[in-house]
Amino acid sequence: KVDVIDKRVDNLSKSMDSMKELLMKAINMKTRDESDSPKPLFSEMVAKPRNRSVVIMSSKAAENKDSDIKHVDKIIQENAIHADKRYLNKNGDIVVVCPTTTDRENLVKKVSQELPEIKTHKPPDRLPTISIANLTEKYTR
């Protein structure tokens, strides 16, 4: 009986060694793959700009808002321009959020051709801000 147990222990030991070798190969392959690609710096990850692009369209006549919205929607649909969303801001301007700058440029070009009475512009760039968790009061200098 002792010989049978010894053989089983040897077999188990050999199979464990082969599993260990396979796992080590897999781990080495993963670490090589990860080390091949450069990791981005933290500053690059934080300061990476969003890929969306916004255009603001303001009509000269307030009574034409509904028709202008319909015309803009029609231009978006007919020209297959991608738009994530469209809404009216507080000033009553039409705001269209496009996924890329090329979509925004196509939209601006088509709107200026078909609706010259609508003024289009890009919103001003936002200044960087810092927010601190659990800080609710407004502090001034």
Side-chain angles (χ1 to χ4, degrees), residues 60-78:
K60 294 176 182 168
E63 61 274 357
N64 295 341
K65 288 287 182 206
D66 292 333
S67 64
D68 289 343
I69 291 171
K70 289 177 184 175
H71 286 293
V72 169
D73 288 342
K74 184 178 176 186
I75 291 170
I76 290 172
Q77 289 175 357
E78 288 177 352

mmCIF file of all heavy atoms in Angstrom, residues 60-78:
data_model
loop_
_atom_site.group_PDB
_atom_site.id
_atom_site.type_symbol
_atom_site.label_atom_id
_atom_site.label_comp_id
_atom_site.label_asym_id
_atom_site.label_seq_id
_atom_site.Cartn_x
_atom_site.Cartn_y
_atom_site.Cartn_z
ATOM 1 N N LYS A 60 -32.244 85.110 -35.661
ATOM 2 C CA LYS A 60 -32.456 86.549 -35.473
ATOM 3 C C LYS A 60 -33.890 86.851 -35.073
ATOM 4 O O LYS A 60 -34.149 87.805 -34.359
ATOM 5 C CB LYS A 60 -32.086 87.293 -36.750
ATOM 6 C CG LYS A 60 -30.610 87.209 -37.058
ATOM 7 C CD LYS A 60 -30.263 87.859 -38.356
ATOM 8 C CE LYS A 60 -28.770 87.688 -38.636
ATOM 9 N NZ LYS A 60 -28.401 88.029 -39.979
ATOM 10 N N ALA A 61 -34.827 86.021 -35.520
ATOM 11 C CA ALA A 61 -36.240 86.237 -35.204
ATOM 12 C C ALA A 61 -36.709 85.181 -34.199
ATOM 13 O O ALA A 61 -36.608 83.992 -34.456
ATOM 14 C CB ALA A 61 -37.075 86.166 -36.471
ATOM 15 N N ALA A 62 -37.211 85.645 -33.069
ATOM 16 C CA ALA A 62 -37.650 84.717 -32.025
ATOM 17 C C ALA A 62 -38.881 83.921 -32.440
ATOM 18 O O ALA A 62 -39.083 82.800 -31.989
ATOM 19 C CB ALA A 62 -37.943 85.495 -30.739
ATOM 20 N N GLU A 63 -39.718 84.485 -33.314
ATOM 21 C CA GLU A 63 -40.940 83.791 -33.716
ATOM 22 C C GLU A 63 -40.658 82.618 -34.659
ATOM 23 O O GLU A 63 -41.515 81.787 -34.905
ATOM 24 C CB GLU A 63 -41.946 84.749 -34.360
ATOM 25 C CG GLU A 63 -41.474 85.432 -35.625
ATOM 26 C CD GLU A 63 -40.683 86.717 -35.380
ATOM 27 O OE1 GLU A 63 -40.540 87.137 -34.222
ATOM 28 O OE2 GLU A 63 -40.205 87.286 -36.371
ATOM 29 N N ASN A 64 -39.456 82.544 -35.199
ATOM 30 C CA ASN A 64 -39.105 81.465 -36.131
ATOM 31 C C ASN A 64 -38.428 80.274 -35.452
ATOM 32 O O ASN A 64 -37.916 79.399 -36.136
ATOM 33 C CB ASN A 64 -38.180 81.993 -37.223
ATOM 34 C CG ASN A 64 -38.857 83.008 -38.108
ATOM 35 O OD1 ASN A 64 -40.080 83.078 -38.152
ATOM 36 N ND2 ASN A 64 -38.062 83.802 -38.798
ATOM 37 N N LYS A 65 -38.417 80.235 -34.137
ATOM 38 C CA LYS A 65 -37.698 79.180 -33.419
ATOM 39 C C LYS A 65 -38.182 77.789 -33.821
ATOM 40 O O LYS A 65 -37.377 76.904 -34.098
ATOM 41 C CB LYS A 65 -37.841 79.342 -31.899
ATOM 42 C CG LYS A 65 -37.079 80.485 -31.323
ATOM 43 C CD LYS A 65 -35.610 80.203 -31.314
ATOM 44 C CE LYS A 65 -34.891 81.381 -30.680
ATOM 45 N NZ LYS A 65 -33.544 81.504 -31.122
ATOM 46 N N ASP A 66 -39.491 77.576 -33.814
ATOM 47 C CA ASP A 66 -40.025 76.248 -34.126
ATOM 48 C C ASP A 66 -39.667 75.815 -35.543
ATOM 49 O O ASP A 66 -39.256 74.672 -35.773
ATOM 50 C CB ASP A 66 -41.546 76.219 -33.934
ATOM 51 C CG ASP A 66 -41.952 76.349 -32.480
ATOM 52 O OD1 ASP A 66 -41.143 75.948 -31.608
ATOM 53 O OD2 ASP A 66 -43.061 76.837 -32.211
ATOM 54 N N SER A 67 -39.807 76.711 -36.494
ATOM 55 C CA SER A 67 -39.476 76.351 -37.874
ATOM 56 C C SER A 67 -37.969 76.140 -38.033
ATOM 57 O O SER A 67 -37.532 75.252 -38.784
ATOM 58 C CB SER A 67 -39.984 77.398 -38.848
ATOM 59 O OG SER A 67 -39.330 78.626 -38.634
ATOM 60 N N ASP A 68 -37.166 76.937 -37.310
ATOM 61 C CA ASP A 68 -35.711 76.771 -37.379
ATOM 62 C C ASP A 68 -35.299 75.403 -36.821
ATOM 63 O O ASP A 68 -34.429 74.736 -37.384
ATOM 64 C CB ASP A 68 -35.000 77.879 -36.610
ATOM 65 C CG ASP A 68 -35.112 79.224 -37.303
ATOM 66 O OD1 ASP A 68 -35.440 79.243 -38.519
ATOM 67 O OD2 ASP A 68 -34.887 80.249 -36.637
ATOM 68 N N ILE A 69 -35.925 75.005 -35.726
ATOM 69 C CA ILE A 69 -35.625 73.700 -35.136
ATOM 70 C C ILE A 69 -35.961 72.589 -36.126
ATOM 71 O O ILE A 69 -35.188 71.644 -36.322
ATOM 72 C CB ILE A 69 -36.378 73.503 -33.807
ATOM 73 C CG1 ILE A 69 -35.814 74.449 -32.741
ATOM 74 C CG2 ILE A 69 -36.295 72.064 -33.333
ATOM 75 C CD1 ILE A 69 -36.617 74.479 -31.469
ATOM 76 N N LYS A 70 -37.114 72.715 -36.776
ATOM 77 C CA LYS A 70 -37.520 71.703 -37.762
ATOM 78 C C LYS A 70 -36.556 71.668 -38.943
ATOM 79 O O LYS A 70 -36.199 70.590 -39.435
ATOM 80 C CB LYS A 70 -38.936 71.976 -38.241
ATOM 81 C CG LYS A 70 -39.988 71.686 -37.193
ATOM 82 C CD LYS A 70 -41.370 72.028 -37.681
ATOM 83 C CE LYS A 70 -42.388 71.823 -36.568
ATOM 84 N NZ LYS A 70 -43.726 72.265 -36.962
ATOM 85 N N HIS A 71 -36.108 72.844 -39.390
ATOM 86 C CA HIS A 71 -35.149 72.902 -40.500
ATOM 87 C C HIS A 71 -33.813 72.267 -40.106
ATOM 88 O O HIS A 71 -33.214 71.530 -40.901
ATOM 89 C CB HIS A 71 -34.924 74.345 -40.961
ATOM 90 C CG HIS A 71 -36.055 74.922 -41.735
ATOM 91 N ND1 HIS A 71 -36.413 74.464 -42.986
ATOM 92 C CD2 HIS A 71 -36.908 75.935 -41.440
ATOM 93 C CE1 HIS A 71 -37.456 75.159 -43.418
ATOM 94 N NE2 HIS A 71 -37.773 76.070 -42.499
ATOM 95 N N VAL A 72 -33.341 72.550 -38.902
ATOM 96 C CA VAL A 72 -32.077 71.978 -38.439
ATOM 97 C C VAL A 72 -32.193 70.456 -38.336
ATOM 98 O O VAL A 72 -31.299 69.714 -38.767
ATOM 99 C CB VAL A 72 -31.652 72.601 -37.086
ATOM 100 C CG1 VAL A 72 -30.497 71.831 -36.467
ATOM 101 C CG2 VAL A 72 -31.272 74.059 -37.265
ATOM 102 N N ASP A 73 -33.311 69.966 -37.776
ATOM 103 C CA ASP A 73 -33.528 68.516 -37.696
ATOM 104 C C ASP A 73 -33.557 67.884 -39.086
ATOM 105 O O ASP A 73 -33.009 66.803 -39.304
ATOM 106 C CB ASP A 73 -34.825 68.204 -36.959
ATOM 107 C CG ASP A 73 -34.742 68.470 -35.464
ATOM 108 O OD1 ASP A 73 -33.608 68.556 -34.946
ATOM 109 O OD2 ASP A 73 -35.807 68.588 -34.816
ATOM 110 N N LYS A 74 -34.190 68.576 -40.030
ATOM 111 C CA LYS A 74 -34.273 68.081 -41.405
ATOM 112 C C LYS A 74 -32.877 68.012 -42.036
ATOM 113 O O LYS A 74 -32.534 67.037 -42.709
ATOM 114 C CB LYS A 74 -35.190 68.990 -42.221
ATOM 115 C CG LYS A 74 -35.445 68.530 -43.629
ATOM 116 C CD LYS A 74 -36.403 69.476 -44.326
ATOM 117 C CE LYS A 74 -36.580 69.081 -45.781
ATOM 118 N NZ LYS A 74 -37.394 70.045 -46.513
ATOM 119 N N ILE A 75 -32.059 69.032 -41.799
ATOM 120 C CA ILE A 75 -30.692 69.051 -42.329
ATOM 121 C C ILE A 75 -29.890 67.890 -41.744
ATOM 122 O O ILE A 75 -29.156 67.203 -42.461
ATOM 123 C CB ILE A 75 -30.011 70.406 -42.025
ATOM 124 C CG1 ILE A 75 -30.660 71.512 -42.855
ATOM 125 C CG2 ILE A 75 -28.513 70.344 -42.283
ATOM 126 C CD1 ILE A 75 -30.227 72.909 -42.460
ATOM 127 N N ILE A 76 -30.040 67.650 -40.452
ATOM 128 C CA ILE A 76 -29.320 66.552 -39.798
ATOM 129 C C ILE A 76 -29.725 65.212 -40.406
ATOM 130 O O ILE A 76 -28.880 64.372 -40.709
ATOM 131 C CB ILE A 76 -29.572 66.580 -38.274
ATOM 132 C CG1 ILE A 76 -28.874 67.788 -37.645
ATOM 133 C CG2 ILE A 76 -29.090 65.291 -37.624
ATOM 134 C CD1 ILE A 76 -29.217 68.023 -36.196
ATOM 135 N N GLN A 77 -31.014 65.023 -40.619
ATOM 136 C CA GLN A 77 -31.495 63.745 -41.154
ATOM 137 C C GLN A 77 -31.128 63.560 -42.623
ATOM 138 O O GLN A 77 -30.675 62.488 -43.026
ATOM 139 C CB GLN A 77 -33.002 63.646 -40.987
ATOM 140 C CG GLN A 77 -33.420 63.466 -39.545
ATOM 141 C CD GLN A 77 -34.927 63.500 -39.381
ATOM 142 O OE1 GLN A 77 -35.657 63.716 -40.342
ATOM 143 N NE2 GLN A 77 -35.397 63.298 -38.156
ATOM 144 N N GLU A 78 -31.336 64.576 -43.442
ATOM 145 C CA GLU A 78 -31.091 64.442 -44.883
ATOM 146 C C GLU A 78 -29.618 64.242 -45.219
ATOM 147 O O GLU A 78 -29.284 63.571 -46.185
ATOM 148 C CB GLU A 78 -31.613 65.667 -45.627
ATOM 149 C CG GLU A 78 -33.117 65.737 -45.705
ATOM 150 C CD GLU A 78 -33.606 66.994 -46.393
ATOM 151 O OE1 GLU A 78 -32.780 67.892 -46.672
ATOM 152 O OE2 GLU A 78 -34.824 67.074 -46.643
#
